[in-house]
Amino acid sequence: LKPVKRPLAMADAGAGDSDSEADAELASPLAKRARAEALSIGKIASPSANSDGGPTWTTAVGTSPEKEWAAVIQHVKTAIVAIRVTAVRPFEDSSAGVWHGTGFVVCLDNPREALILTNRHIISTGPIRAFATFDEHEELPAFPVYRDPVHDFGLLQFDATQLRFTPATLIRLDPGGLIVGAEVLVIGNDNAEKIQILPATIARVDRNSPEYDDGNYQDENTFYAGAGSNTSGGSSGSPVIDRSGACIALNAGGASEAASAYYFPLDRAVYVLNWLRKNRTAVPLPPRGTVLTKFLFQPFDMIRRLGFTEEQESLALATISRSAEASKQDPDVRAAKADGRLKGLLVVESFLPETEAGEKLRPGDVLLEVAGKPCLDFISLEDSLDRSVGTALSLRVSRAGELLDISLDVQNLHSLIPHDFVECAGGVFHLVSYHTCKRFHIPVSQGGIFVAQSGFGFGLELPYHAVITSVRDRRVKSVSDFESILAGVADGETFDVSWFNPTTNERRQKRSSVRMECTLWPLRVWRFASERPNTWRREALVAATPSAPKSVQDGAPEIQAKAPACVEAEAPAADAKQKDAVQDLTGYPPSRDPTIARVQPMLCTVTTRVAHEYATDFLQSDEERNSTLIRRHGVGLVVDVEQGLVLTDRYAVPQPLMHVELTFAQILTIEAVCLFVHPQHNLVLLGYNSEAVRELPVRAVDFRPMPTAGPTCPAPATDEESSEELSIGEVLTFVSLHGDHRLSAKKVTVGSVYLKAWAFAEPPAYRERNMEICNLNDTLQGLGGLLVEPGPTGRTRAWFAQFPAGKKHYIAGVAMPLLAGLLSVLGLSPGRKSTLPPTVLATATVPALDCEFEELSVAKARRYHGMSLENAQELVAGGSDGRRQVLMLSRVTAGGEMDGKLMEGDVVLRVNGRAVTRPQEVEQAMDKAPADAGGAGGAVPWTVLRSRQQVEMLVRPSSRSSDGTERLLVFNGLVLRPTLRAVAERGGPVLHLPGEGLYFWYIFPGSPADTFGVQGPGWLVQVNDEPTQNIAQLLVAIQSGKFRECQWLRCRTMDSEGRPTVRALQPDPLFWPTVELVRHHEQGGSGGAGLRWARIEHDA
């Protein structure tokens, strides 16, 4: 079979009309034109058509359809509904999200429990929320009551008494009407258009079930009908209507590159529907049996090749003749024959391994009898299986002409379909389903846990579709086994998981270490209740209490503390002693390169990860966006050994909500916390427990010249001995750190030092500004590192880090004098102990410029901006590096201190009376200005060139605290946070003050916000009549109960262009409660141990 598709999502829309081969038989142009007109789409005038924008009914049967068809359409259209399904969790091979399909009413015995028939792949087998839209645009909630374990049909329940304008009608089911040559209409939401009518003629009714190529689910052991209706996305579940107005089949799938459509026959659907009508109060699970074997219908020519004898064929033909004489309309033989002749028989195609069928059956066995009766097609086979659940069933088969009697136990199909699932560390896990076992030939008896979503905890090690076989060396065969083992794992504990990936040809067991994460993702299990309607109940699993961590001092070797400079001076001698000695794992790897030996104690590898849904402060690459977990690597620069402080960049640690690990000397990995994210520059301070690495000679970077090694190792006396400026063309050594923790060194040449203008990201995210960077003339490898003078005592000249730039990132350097100035504001003086404890650093503020500069040559400033020669000479004379560049304002931050005073295009001449040509000089002048500068309460005088005129003004200095989100609120699937500073820096819509307004750009798939079409990025401005300027204000409204009795919430949002929109959301507190994530600041502990994230669930 060619690959086929299931017309499910709108993205799967079919191609346009195409001519068939019959066009060549049209003799005249007039005939061709008549046929083209017949294929065109025309409207049907309906007596009850709405004049206020009601649904447009279209058909491809011509512009003037027969009155008979018009009457049929008029009768059935009120029973056909458009279905919008929201999968609230990933399940089996369906991801969380929203899709559309079609259904139709089939039962109104109890109007409050009316039933809609649709496809199984529409309502899936996991937890969903569904809405049915009727002819008069009335939308009602619908709830699943039955999903067939194998066949592509299911039933939804709705309350027909809630219909106000659409009459409650149903469509009669007539499986016997599915015959070759029947003219039909497929009426549904083709390509999600409400509503389309496609004509077709039944071409065959004995097609084997189509093989879909988009998931684990495949129908089996049934016939399908085929026709050329060219249905596409959204038409799944449409009724196939004959001229009598009855539904004779269910539209299910179609070919990818042809007009062929496949219709599911209704025999089993009628069986289930009748069972539900007779058993209203019982659990809605009609008996469905299986022998774990797939059969195919094969013609006699094929089975004769398999050894089927001529006598057996004659006997089978005689049997069907006697059955036809006894009952002219016997449904058991309807699909297998045409014109009174039997076409073929059922043949064993495959079976699951390690089963009774695998022991007794063989591929190619021809099925003759079931339970002592002739079995000529799938209808009679399934009828016998459903009647024999839990008992033995006798089969007679022909194997290469030999007749064999076989007895097989019939299993309950419902027990092989998962419904319960576990949520752990952001992942979703359930029992391996029958369809997964069938597709990948996995023994269903071995059980196992299927990874529907790997999430944060398992995402690094286990892929989607993996099957877990054991946890902590204990076999898991069921969900109960899985949850009981996980309940014994403490938060933060690492445990072993054995698994394999069935999607690859390699079936070898793999073993991975996984970390339990319960702080942000509580451990819980969802129990399926098969009552009417189906629902899930949430149960929290209490994780084990973490054991007291072992002290890092226990068993740690003692290493004599040495002054940093002395350790560096003794490095060559140490290398010489270790040449013939065994490598000491309490120190750094030995290196014959004295430069690497000196630099490596200053560096460590930074590894971070965050869940995709909580990546709120940065843009992800295309690869990261397709993953549930984002993992990044970077270089850490030790700046304070005693306090446990490491400097890294904003690409490796783009936000405070990150799990951070530091690796020292390739042998020790410890956890760290994000202390401070610089609001403007590419700097992040991390804190770690310094006692955890005391066995290693970790050394902080020293920005000053190295002293000559001596007995006392004297330190330089003044900060004026700091590193000199980088010179273009200077040859230095670049020591880089790689992702595998290795160090490498190479000679490089300084290429340029300039003020780079970084492009804006969309949606807005952090970008560097007002910082000079240096580039090299050589290709850089690794994650970054240090630019140093070669040798054991050379100076450190620049720090190279990764700079985020939208979805990409680049490696560039920051000169040490500039870096030292930025760190000194935080009390981190070069070579000295920090004056602020880590927990205080987390709340520190730094000076900030509410503007952005770009470099302008003196020549352009004089020619186009009217700069005088005197001003040009003053600026050039004040430059320390000989560059003849000045600063021009390219952007002013909206709502900042400079907004309304400075303007884009201003050329800066002086700040606080000093000529400035570099951004760091402006920052220093603003920072060092006295509190009463200019007599204006701390405002600083600026002189700028505007429109060829000098303008003087007073600008008040501004300061900023640590950047990044420290408080999130998940509200109906919207991940809300305070407005990013990048929005104000870009100049986009600002509410009242920078930082106000609930900003979002991530929306949970399957949430109410996703269901009802909220689009990000944007701001949540108001809920009902309650303004939402910040998280606290929204929480007050929630906790006061203002939304508790509201079935619908009117959410007013604003997009990035300031355009207002309103959406009505239906809350779903069971699956989507309001959740707050907040970082608490507590005093005490080293390395930022007092910073903790907490998850708070709020009752609406």
Side-chain angles (χ1 to χ4, degrees):
L1 295 175
K2 291 183 179 180
V4 299
K5 71 177 182 182
R6 183 182 301 115
L8 185 148
M10 288 186 292
D12 295 332
D17 294 333
S18 60
D19 295 336
S20 67
E21 295 179 358
D23 284 340
E25 300 179 3
L26 296 177
S28 65
L30 180 61
K32 293 182 180 180
R33 187 172 68 242
R35 180 178 181 275
E37 292 175 354
L39 289 175
S40 63
I41 296 178
K43 296 182 179 179
I44 296 178
S46 172
S48 60
N50 296 329
S51 60
D52 57 349
T56 299
W57 293 82
T58 63
T59 179
V61 297
T63 56
S64 300
E66 301 177 13
K67 293 182 179 180
E68 181 182 1
W69 274 123
V72 168
I73 295 172
Q74 183 65 25
H75 171 72
V76 302
K77 70 172 187 176
T78 55
I80 300 173
V81 297
I83 300 175
R84 182 179 68 242
V85 173
T86 301
V88 297
R89 293 292 189 274
F91 204 86
E92 204 167 2
D93 55 358
S94 297
S95 58
V98 182
W99 55 79
H100 300 80
T102 306
F104 56 100
V105 181
V106 294
C107 180
L108 288 171
D109 293 352
N110 181 0
R112 294 187 178 276
E113 298 179 358
L115 298 178
I116 295 173
L117 179 64
T118 186
N119 285 132
R120 176 191 188 271
H121 72 259
I122 291 294
I123 60 177
S124 72
T125 55
I128 65 167
R129 296 289 189 245
F131 287 87
T133 302
F134 289 78
D135 178 46
E136 298 292 339
H137 297 281
E138 296 179 85
E139 187 176 77
L140 297 180
F143 309 94
V145 295
Y146 181 80
R147 303 104 179 271
D148 195 80
V150 172
H151 295 323
D152 199 5
F153 75 93
L155 292 166
L156 296 170
Q157 176 181 299
F158 75 101
D159 187 356
T161 63
Q162 298 297 316
L163 292 172
R164 297 183 298 159
F165 307 108
T166 306
T169 57
L170 60 83
I171 297 178
R172 177 174 56 89
L173 302 182
D174 181 18
L178 186 62
I179 59 176
V180 175
E183 295 182 357
V184 296
L185 294 180
V186 180
I187 306 177
N189 303 286
D190 189 71
N191 197 24
E193 292 289 338
K194 185 179 182 300
I195 285 182
Q196 298 290 311
I197 304 175
L198 300 174
T201 301
I202 303 299
R204 58 182 301 190
V205 295
D206 58 354
R207 188 194 194 282
N208 285 304
S209 57
E211 296 180 358
Y212 298 124
D213 57 359
D214 57 354
N216 291 347
Y217 170 70
Q218 304 287 343
D219 205 341
E220 67 175 5
N221 295 342
T222 182
F223 288 115
Y224 269 71
S229 58
N230 197 26
T231 54
S232 59
S235 64
S236 290
S238 299
V240 180
I241 304 296
D242 67 2
R243 287 184 176 271
S244 69
C247 176
I248 63 173
L250 186 67
N251 183 47
S256 300
E257 300 177 355
S260 301
Y262 309 116
Y263 307 146
F264 174 75
L266 299 175
D267 302 275
R268 284 298 97 187
V270 170
Y271 158 73
V272 170
L273 181 61
N274 291 336
W275 194 95
L276 294 177
R277 295 170 69 181
K278 295 177 181 178
N279 299 272
R280 292 177 180 270
T281 59
V283 175
L285 292 177
R288 298 286 282 112
T290 179
V291 290
L292 306 178
T293 303
K294 178 181 179 180
F295 294 89
L296 290 181
F297 181 77
Q298 298 287 10
F300 281 115
D301 283 351
M302 178 63 70
I303 61 178
R304 286 288 295 272
R305 300 170 191 169
L306 299 175
F308 196 64
T309 65
E310 184 177 354
E311 293 77 13
Q312 292 170 348
E313 178 180 309
S314 301
L315 181 61
L317 292 173
T319 301
I320 189 62
S321 299
R322 289 194 300 269
S323 299
E325 290 295 332
S327 176
K328 296 294 185 182
Q329 296 182 355
D330 186 353
D332 289 345
V333 299
R334 181 181 62 253
K337 68 184 184 67
D339 301 326
R341 184 184 65 81
L342 185 65
K343 292 183 177 182
L345 294 172
L346 303 185
V347 178
V348 175
E349 172 69 11
S350 62
F351 36 73
L352 291 182
E354 300 181 14
T355 60
E356 186 182 17
E359 297 175 358
K360 298 181 179 180
L361 295 177
R362 296 292 181 269
D365 287 353
V366 180
L367 184 61
L368 299 176
E369 295 181 3
V370 176
K373 297 181 180 180
C375 182
L376 305 173
D377 60 8
F378 292 114
I379 300 173
S380 56
L381 171 63
E382 288 205 296
D383 183 67
S384 298
L385 291 174
D386 293 345
R387 295 173 185 270
S388 307
V389 176
T391 64
L393 184 65
S394 62
L395 305 179
R396 170 165 285 189
V397 299
S398 171
R399 180 177 300 166
E402 180 184 359
L403 296 180
L404 299 175
D405 291 323
I406 297 173
S407 177
L408 297 176
D409 291 333
V410 180
Q411 298 190 30
N412 181 10
L413 260 176
H414 296 295
S415 65
L416 304 178
I417 305 301
H419 294 292
D420 296 350
F421 64 96
V422 173
E423 286 187 297
C424 177
V428 177
F429 310 87
H430 58 72
L431 187 68
V432 177
S433 72
Y434 168 73
H435 295 283
T436 300
C437 293
K438 180 181 62 175
R439 178 178 179 183
F440 299 111
H441 201 60
I442 302 172
V444 70
S445 58
Q446 77 176 19
I449 299 300
F450 182 81
V451 180
Q453 177 175 290
S454 54
F456 179 78
F458 293 75
L460 286 180
E461 303 294 338
L462 278 68
Y464 162 67
H465 268 136
V467 176
I468 298 174
T469 57
S470 67
V471 178
R472 303 182 85 177
D473 295 324
R474 294 169 57 186
R475 180 76 175 175
V476 289
K477 299 186 67 175
S478 64
V479 171
S480 59
D481 293 342
F482 189 60
E483 64 184 74
S484 63
I485 298 174
L486 291 179
V489 182
D491 184 26
E493 182 181 347
T494 301
F495 58 97
D496 291 337
V497 174
S498 296
W499 57 278
F500 68 93
N501 187 359
T503 61
T504 62
N505 292 329
E506 183 183 6
R507 297 296 181 89
R508 295 179 60 86
Q509 289 282 331
K510 299 177 176 61
R511 192 177 183 90
S512 300
S513 294
V514 176
R515 176 188 168 92
M516 175 62 74
E517 299 287 349
C518 296
T519 302
L520 305 184
W521 299 272
L523 180 62
R524 53 195 177 189
V525 60
W526 294 82
R527 310 286 188 195
F528 175 71
S530 57
E531 59 194 21
R532 301 184 191 176
N534 303 158
T535 186
W536 276 260
R537 296 185 177 92
R538 182 177 61 185
E539 296 180 11
L541 297 179
V542 180
T545 303
S547 58
K550 182 180 179 181
S551 174
V552 297
Q553 299 180 3
D554 296 342
E558 294 186 4
I559 297 179
Q560 184 177 0
K562 300 181 180 181
C566 293
V567 173
E568 196 167 303
E570 295 177 3
D575 287 343
K577 293 179 181 179
Q578 292 178 354
K579 286 182 180 179
D580 299 324
V582 179
Q583 183 175 343
D584 186 3
L585 292 182
T586 61
Y588 283 87
S591 175
R592 296 182 179 180
D593 189 331
T595 304
I596 293 181
R598 175 174 62 87
V599 169
Q600 63 178 346
M602 308 177 191
L603 300 178
C604 62
T605 307
V606 181
T607 303
T608 62
R609 56 192 176 104
V610 64
H612 178 73
E613 60 267 25
Y614 295 138
T616 60
D617 294 9
F618 64 99
L619 296 184
Q620 303 93 51
S621 65
D622 293 336
E623 181 180 356
E624 291 172 336
R625 288 179 62 86
N626 295 327
S627 172
T628 59
L629 178 66
I630 299 171
R631 186 183 191 185
R632 290 185 172 181
H633 302 275
V635 175
L637 182 63
V638 181
V639 295
D640 193 311
V641 177
E642 294 186 18
Q643 293 277 16
L645 300 179
V646 166
L647 177 69
T648 189
D649 54 67
R650 290 192 61 162
Y651 175 79
V653 186
Q655 61 182 36
L657 182 52
M658 302 283 289
H659 182 268
V660 185
E661 292 180 342
L662 306 178
T663 301
F664 294 86
Q666 305 181 34
I667 60 172
L668 179 63
T669 298
I670 60 174
E671 294 186 10
V673 296
C674 177
L675 295 177
F676 186 85
V677 181
H678 200 286
Q680 286 192 341
H681 298 309
N682 188 32
L683 307 176
V684 178
L685 277 178
L686 305 176
Y688 66 92
N689 183 6
S690 57
E691 288 296 317
V693 297
R694 70 183 184 89
E695 70 271 18
L696 293 174
V698 178
R699 183 166 58 83
V701 64
D702 197 334
F703 303 148
R704 298 170 298 177
M706 289 299 168
T708 303
T712 58
C713 298
T718 63
D719 288 342
E720 280 72 14
E721 300 178 27
S722 60
S723 301
E724 64 184 19
E725 296 286 346
L726 288 172
S727 300
I728 298 176
E730 190 174 2
V731 178
L732 299 169
T733 299
F734 178 60
V735 180
S736 60
L737 185 63
H738 300 262
D740 57 358
H741 315 298
R742 293 183 302 104
L743 287 169
S744 64
K746 64 181 296 187
K747 288 186 177 181
V748 295
T749 304
V750 178
S752 61
V753 180
Y754 67 105
L755 178 62
K756 180 176 176 58
W758 298 88
F760 279 95
E762 187 59 41
Y766 165 78
R767 50 184 282 276
E768 179 59 74
R769 61 178 189 166
N770 298 336
M771 175 182 280
E772 290 183 351
I773 64 171
C774 62
N775 287 331
L776 305 177
N777 286 339
D778 305 83
T779 302
L780 298 182
Q781 296 180 348
L783 306 173
L786 290 176
L787 186 65
V788 299
E789 296 174 350
T793 60
R795 295 174 298 178
T796 303
R797 303 296 301 280
W799 172 56
F800 274 72
Q802 300 171 103
F803 283 74
K807 296 181 180 181
K808 301 179 180 180
H809 66 281
Y810 302 92
I811 296 179
V814 181
M816 279 300 167
L818 175 56
L819 187 61
L822 295 174
L823 294 178
S824 63
V825 179
L826 293 169
L828 297 172
S829 298
R832 296 186 177 92
K833 178 181 177 181
S834 172
T835 59
L836 298 176
T839 52
V840 176
L841 277 174
T843 57
T845 59
V846 294
L849 296 178
D850 293 329
C851 65
E852 183 175 352
F853 299 111
E854 65 178 72
E855 288 183 335
L856 182 71
S857 68
V858 174
K860 286 187 176 180
R862 294 190 62 193
R863 180 176 178 86
Y864 300 109
H865 296 270
M867 178 179 290
S868 65
L869 179 60
E870 293 76 11
N871 285 331
Q873 290 175 340
E874 181 184 9
L875 292 171
V876 171
S880 59
D881 58 351
R883 289 182 297 169
R884 298 185 175 185
Q885 305 282 344
V886 297
L887 296 179
M888 182 178 71
L889 271 78
S890 61
R891 192 172 297 271
V892 177
T893 302
E897 292 289 343
M898 298 179 179
D899 193 9
K901 299 177 181 179
L902 296 174
M903 298 178 61
E904 284 84 351
D906 288 352
V907 178
V908 182
L909 300 179
R910 287 175 292 276
V911 176
N912 200 20
R914 174 187 173 187
V916 292
T917 59
R918 307 172 73 177
Q920 56 264 38
E921 296 173 354
V922 179
E923 292 179 347
Q924 294 171 3
M926 295 292 288
D927 182 37
K928 294 181 180 180
D932 58 349
V940 177
W942 281 54
T943 303
V944 300
L945 192 63
R946 180 183 300 168
S947 301
R948 297 179 176 269
Q949 300 294 325
Q950 288 193 22
V951 179
E952 296 186 357
M953 65 198 68
L954 295 176
V955 179
R956 189 180 303 276
S958 60
S959 61
R960 296 283 184 267
S961 59
S962 176
D963 200 6
T965 304
E966 295 195 349
R967 192 180 190 187
L968 295 173
L969 189 69
V970 181
F971 178 73
N972 286 291
L974 295 173
V975 181
L976 302 171
R977 56 146 295 162
T979 302
L980 289 163
R981 288 193 178 117
V983 176
E985 293 172 357
R986 191 191 67 170
V990 177
L991 302 182
H992 296 289
L993 294 173
E996 286 197 0
L998 292 182
Y999 184 74
F1000 64 90
W1001 71 26
Y1002 185 83
I1003 300 173
F1004 274 93
S1007 65
D1010 182 35
T1011 301
F1012 298 101
V1014 178
Q1015 300 291 327
W1019 287 265
L1020 179 65
V1021 179
Q1022 186 175 348
V1023 179
N1024 287 354
D1025 297 325
E1026 302 297 324
T1028 57
Q1029 294 184 359
N1030 49 58
I1031 291 178
Q1033 190 174 18
L1034 179 56
L1035 283 177
V1036 168
I1038 293 173
Q1039 295 169 351
S1040 64
K1042 293 182 179 181
F1043 306 147
R1044 185 168 296 133
E1045 303 300 328
C1046 298
Q1047 184 179 2
W1048 294 92
L1049 298 177
R1050 301 184 310 276
C1051 296
R1052 189 161 68 91
T1053 62
M1054 182 179 69
D1055 65 12
S1056 58
E1057 304 297 334
R1059 185 181 299 106
T1061 307
V1062 65
R1063 289 288 185 271
L1065 307 185
Q1066 187 176 52
D1068 187 355
L1070 176 63
F1071 288 101
W1072 299 104
T1074 300
V1075 174
E1076 179 186 6
L1077 305 182
V1078 60
R1079 187 160 85 150
H1080 297 296
H1081 294 249
E1082 302 172 358
Q1083 297 296 329
S1086 63
L1091 300 175
R1092 303 288 185 186
W1093 282 92
R1095 180 185 187 273
I1096 306 171
E1097 190 168 314
H1098 297 277
D1099 185 4

